[in-house]
């Protein structure tokens, strides 16, 4: 199967045109027109690139991108924005976007940006002090021996590593990793998962920021 791209664009005519263009370039394309559909597609499938419109009928592309990044999804994101305002662009990059193009855009430029992002999309590998984690393959090893992690534990691990050096609050982790935005999850559940994760990977990686959340740091 070829390179798989998720296109998120609510303008039906633009969506159809871009799908046709991308498929002519031999990309495999899924198309979504809403925040909800885009999130569902990204949950159920693996993509090498996401083209994401900022303004969606049921949400905001910036928020959606941030949500994916907190979850540990490292798929390159190319924002489509109708504004070339510097603040809007900065917000997009701060949300985790890898690049952006402003509407109206030249098709050849868009294809060039896509190729550049795909070249840069290498598997994310963490390797330090005997702990090796391949985020792309969802595999973890300690001193060469495989570590069994549950899906929730791996999502927590991915979120912490992808946001290394930043404090992730308990609220953010609960909202972005559990279904229904963590509304029905006991706060103690997060503590239990963090504790089990530490037992498996070692104590020195996940730092507790009392009253706030957790931060990933390299073991000393």
């Amino acid at each position: 199967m070829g390179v798989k791209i998720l296109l998120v664009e609510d303008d039906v005519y633009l969506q159809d045109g871009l799908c046709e263009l991308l498929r002519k370039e031999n990309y495999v394309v899924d198309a979504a027109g809403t925040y909800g559909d885009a999130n569902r597609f990204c949950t159920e499938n693996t993509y090498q690139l996401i083209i994401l419109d900022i303004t969606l009928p049921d949400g905001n592309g910036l928020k959606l991108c941030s949500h994916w990044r907190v979850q540990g999804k490292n798929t390159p994101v190319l924002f489509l924005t109708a504004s070339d305002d510097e603040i809007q662009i900065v917000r997009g990059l701060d949300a985790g976007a890898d690049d952006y193009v402003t509407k109206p855009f030249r098709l050849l430029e868009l294809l060039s940006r896509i190729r550049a992002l795909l070249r840069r999309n290498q598997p994310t590998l963490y390797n330090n002090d005997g702990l090796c984690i391949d985020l792309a393959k969802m595999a973890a090893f300690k001193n060469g021996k495989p570590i069994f992690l549950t899906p929730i534990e791996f999502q927590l691990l991915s979120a912490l590593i992808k946001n290394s050096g930043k404090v992730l609050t308990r609220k953010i982790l609960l909202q972005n990793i559990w279904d229904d935005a963590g509304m029905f999850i006991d706060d103690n559940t997060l503590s239990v998962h963090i504790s089990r994760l530490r037992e498996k990977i070692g104590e020195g990686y996940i730092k507790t920021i009392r009253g706030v959340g957790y931060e990933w740091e390299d073991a000393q």
Side-chain angles (χ1 to χ4, degrees), residues 150-179:
T150 67
I152 291 294
E153 289 168 351
F154 201 91
Q155 285 187 57
L156 283 170
L157 184 62
S158 296
L160 290 165
I161 291 175
K162 292 297 292 180
N163 292 276
S164 179
K166 300 178 183 178
V167 178
L168 293 182
T169 67
R170 297 176 68 86
K171 181 179 180 180
I172 285 176
L173 289 170
L174 286 168
Q175 288 180 339
N176 287 278
I177 291 179
W178 276 272
D179 292 337

Side-chain angles (χ1 to χ4, degrees), residues 38 51 68 81 135 178 197:
I51 301 174
W68 287 333
T81 172
L135 299 180
W178 276 272
L197 193 52

